[in-house]
Amino acid sequence: MTGYEVVEPRAESLVESLRAFGYATETAVADLVDNSITAKATTVDVRLRWAGDESWIAIVDNGLGMDSERLREAMRPGTTSPSTPRKGSDLGRFGLGLKTASFSQCRRMVVMSATATSSLAARTWDLDHVVRVGGWQLLTTLPSGDRALWHELHGDQSGTVVLWRQLDRLVVSPDPQNEQAERHYYTIADRVATHLGIIFHRYVTGPGKITIRVNGRNIAPWDPFLESHETTQVVTDEALPYRGELISVKSFVLPHVSRLTTQEHIAAGGRRGWASQQGFYVYRNRRLIVSGSWLGLGFRREELTSLARIRLDLPNHMDSDWQIDVRKSVARAPGALVPELRRIAEVVRMRSANVYRHRGKVLQRAGQGEVVQAWLQVVRGTKIAYQINRQHPVVAALLATSGSGDVEAMVRLLEETVPVPLIILNHADGPGRQAAPFEESAPDAVRSVLTDVVRAMKRSGVSGREITRRLVTTEPFSDLPDLVQEVCTQELGQEMT
């Protein structure tokens, strides 16, 4: 026989280490919502209540619940081995989430649960008690205050309440009358609601949807792919074979900023902004694991590729292959899939760049030809520069009728003084801040400009019908065909026939 010694970890040391997994409050709450969904809950309520030192957070669900024996096992650190086969709908993996997520936020975690056939069962991890006794003593006595909260939050139906008390990392003042501390506390609720709307957006929409609320308000789902927008492009939709199964991969190019309202642009940019949201979105059982990452495939985040987003769906038994971590926030592509994922990424990145280069314009319009751009990109030696397009109908008309070099001189001055560094800086600060042509202009101002353009083209000798044809394919009037027709009819009359 081989000699051995049993060296058990010190409870008082390990329990403090389990608090250091790097959870933010919102990611910790999301881990507990995973458990509620696995328990077939149709409603999950996240409640935050401010009371100074007595503040608490509760995650309440109407799932299947647990009897006393199952609850005891659920409270064990390392409940289920990561290698143990799970049901296809199970969102867990390590058997640690309930404990590590909760310990990261509080020093006292109470779980109360009931099933359709069993009465209320409750267990408590009190970290101060564990440290004091130096052992893994799971408390079975439920204080009257916690029992009262069960009845207030849940009632007699089946389901579970996870209650966090002694929020030492969230409460910045023990005084319940401290208004600044209270405001800080409730900003956490806003962060949690936003995060849950991102992570579980596919669970709260569509057939079989569930309800997730934070302090009584339904979370707002965030669709990173803008699938309902008419100008979102589906670039690829395929299934990659891997270990005898198929992994669904669908790639999108989102609309250019000029095709979005200000509100749509802000929403689609998410919390981190457009440049940071590009790349792969990895889902495990429809639950978002990684958002906006090129998965170490060798691609950089660039402005031209910020419209590229790729949805990748994994089953839950591929966690090890994808190196998904305890917090379910990291994933790495298996080597066998890297070539195919790179191929898909290259295609969608190229399509994103094309949309940017054409500034989101529809390049062909019902047989009318390409849209004539006002600016052209040119190469001077090894440098890139920008020139006003001399073939643009308005510019051509002015040059033809000016009778001198004044207009050409003004055009050259504008070309040589384009504030490229300032444009880049402002766009990096906030892409949505740049107005589209005439976006903030009053209708009368747009009409006045268009009227002057029509008159200038008429003076240069362009026929009425040709003026109309050119303007509907000329930037920026190509987006205003009805107004072009109206002004040309008013200014040109019979000349249009």
Side-chain angles (χ1 to χ4, degrees):
M1 293 181 62
T2 302
Y4 66 89
E5 295 178 328
V6 175
V7 183
E8 295 181 349
R10 294 183 181 274
E12 64 273 24
S13 300
L14 183 57
V15 76
E16 297 293 347
S17 299
L18 290 176
R19 307 194 75 199
F21 270 64
Y23 285 95
T25 305
E26 54 268 31
T27 56
V29 171
D31 228 342
L32 270 60
V33 174
D34 286 341
N35 295 339
S36 297
I37 294 174
T38 299
K40 301 187 183 305
T42 58
T43 301
V44 183
D45 276 299
V46 181
R47 303 289 185 89
L48 296 88
R49 185 172 298 176
W50 168 257
D53 258 354
E54 298 301 316
S55 300
W56 51 262
I57 296 176
I59 295 85
V60 185
D61 72 52
N62 67 345
L64 298 175
M66 295 173 283
D67 59 22
S68 183
E69 184 59 33
R70 288 194 62 195
L71 175 56
R72 177 180 180 274
E73 191 60 26
M75 297 293 272
R76 182 195 302 275
T79 307
T80 307
S81 169
S83 60
T84 300
R86 295 176 179 269
K87 293 181 179 179
S89 59
D90 195 336
L91 294 181
R93 182 194 175 195
F94 291 94
L96 284 171
L98 170 64
K99 283 72 64 174
T100 54
S102 298
F103 294 167
S104 73
Q105 306 300 309
C106 69
R107 296 199 66 81
R108 186 166 176 267
M109 183 258 285
V110 185
V111 180
M112 299 172 280
S113 192
T115 72
T117 58
S118 66
S119 58
L120 176 63
R123 295 291 186 274
T124 300
W125 277 120
D126 186 324
L127 303 191
D128 291 330
H129 178 80
V130 170
V131 171
R132 185 165 56 251
V133 301
W136 294 99
Q137 292 187 3
L138 181 62
L139 304 181
T140 58
T141 302
L142 184 64
S144 58
D146 294 344
R147 185 179 294 273
L149 269 179
W150 164 265
H151 292 295
E152 175 188 338
L153 297 173
H154 205 282
D156 296 325
Q157 61 181 331
S158 64
T160 300
V161 173
V162 179
L163 178 64
W164 293 346
R165 289 192 178 276
Q166 296 179 24
L167 303 168
D168 59 324
R169 294 179 173 176
L170 303 181
V171 174
V172 298
S173 170
D175 180 9
Q177 304 303 317
N178 187 321
E179 294 182 0
Q180 184 176 358
E182 181 179 5
R183 285 195 299 271
H184 168 78
Y185 185 74
Y186 282 119
T187 62
I188 297 171
D190 296 333
R191 292 205 321 265
V192 168
T194 299
H195 185 72
L196 297 183
I198 295 170
I199 299 300
F200 298 104
H201 71 95
R202 295 171 73 182
Y203 278 89
V204 297
T205 57
K209 67 181 180 181
I210 67 174
T211 299
I212 302 177
R213 294 187 287 256
V214 177
N215 278 356
R217 299 181 62 179
N218 287 7
I219 62 171
W222 179 67
D223 174 15
F225 311 108
L226 287 181
E227 287 194 78
S228 61
H229 198 281
E230 60 182 0
T231 59
T232 294
Q233 302 176 42
V234 177
V235 180
T236 61
D237 188 359
E238 56 188 288
L240 302 180
Y242 180 72
R243 294 202 173 190
E245 296 191 57
L246 296 176
I247 296 175
S248 173
V249 185
K250 191 172 184 178
S251 63
F252 304 82
V253 170
L254 273 59
H256 186 269
V257 58
S258 63
R259 295 292 175 181
L260 300 173
T261 66
T262 300
Q263 185 176 0
E264 286 174 335
H265 188 269
I266 293 173
R271 295 173 301 173
R272 297 178 295 163
W274 278 75
S276 296
Q277 299 289 8
Q278 63 186 277
F280 286 90
Y281 287 70
V282 180
Y283 292 83
R284 175 182 179 269
N285 282 4
R286 296 186 300 138
R287 193 259 202 214
L288 185 59
I289 300 293
V290 172
S291 63
S293 168
W294 289 114
L295 300 179
L297 298 177
F299 299 110
R300 293 185 302 175
R301 288 192 175 102
E302 299 172 351
E303 190 66 31
L304 289 177
T305 59
S306 64
L307 305 179
R309 298 184 185 180
I310 305 167
R311 184 170 69 210
L312 196 155
D313 281 296
L314 304 178
N316 65 354
H317 58 267
M318 288 189 181
D319 291 356
S320 178
D321 299 82
W322 284 80
Q323 301 179 51
I324 295 174
D325 68 343
V326 172
R327 292 177 297 142
K328 286 171 278 192
S329 61
V330 174
R332 296 179 178 85
L337 286 176
V338 166
E340 289 298 297
L341 295 178
R342 282 189 57 86
R343 171 184 60 81
I344 293 170
E346 286 169 352
V347 171
V348 73
R349 283 168 63 90
M350 180 182 67
R351 291 285 289 274
S352 171
N354 287 342
V355 170
Y356 254 107
R357 290 190 180 102
H358 296 299
R359 302 177 61 187
K361 300 296 180 185
V362 178
L363 296 183
Q364 299 292 330
R365 289 186 182 274
Q368 293 178 320
E370 290 192 356
V371 172
V372 179
Q373 306 290 334
W375 286 88
L376 301 175
Q377 178 179 294
V378 297
V379 177
R380 296 177 181 170
T382 60
K383 303 292 184 180
I384 294 175
Y386 301 92
Q387 287 183 351
I388 293 176
N389 184 4
R390 288 350 185 244
Q391 303 306 312
H392 190 285
V394 179
V395 179
L398 287 173
L399 290 173
T401 59
S402 63
S404 71
D406 293 346
V407 174
E408 176 65 29
M410 181 189 68
V411 168
R412 283 300 307 275
L413 177 64
L414 293 175
E415 291 173 338
E416 298 300 330
T417 57
V418 176
V420 174
L422 183 60
I423 293 171
I424 293 173
L425 179 63
N426 288 336
H427 195 69
D429 275 347
R433 295 172 58 195
Q434 284 71 49
F438 297 125
E439 182 179 356
E440 302 294 335
S441 301
D444 287 347
V446 181
R447 180 186 294 274
S448 177
V449 171
L450 184 55
T451 299
D452 290 341
V453 168
V454 170
R455 291 173 181 173
M457 293 177 69
K458 181 180 178 181
R459 288 194 302 271
S460 70
V462 182
S463 68
R465 181 180 296 180
E466 183 66 11
I467 290 174
T468 305
R469 189 192 70 78
R470 291 186 187 181
L471 286 179
V472 295
T473 58
T474 298
E475 185 184 35
F477 306 115
S478 54
D479 285 335
L480 305 168
D482 293 339
L483 184 60
V484 169
Q485 189 70 33
E486 182 182 333
V487 171
C488 285
T489 300
Q490 176 183 321
E491 292 295 321
L492 303 173
Q494 294 297 322
E495 296 181 45
M496 293 179 60
T497 61

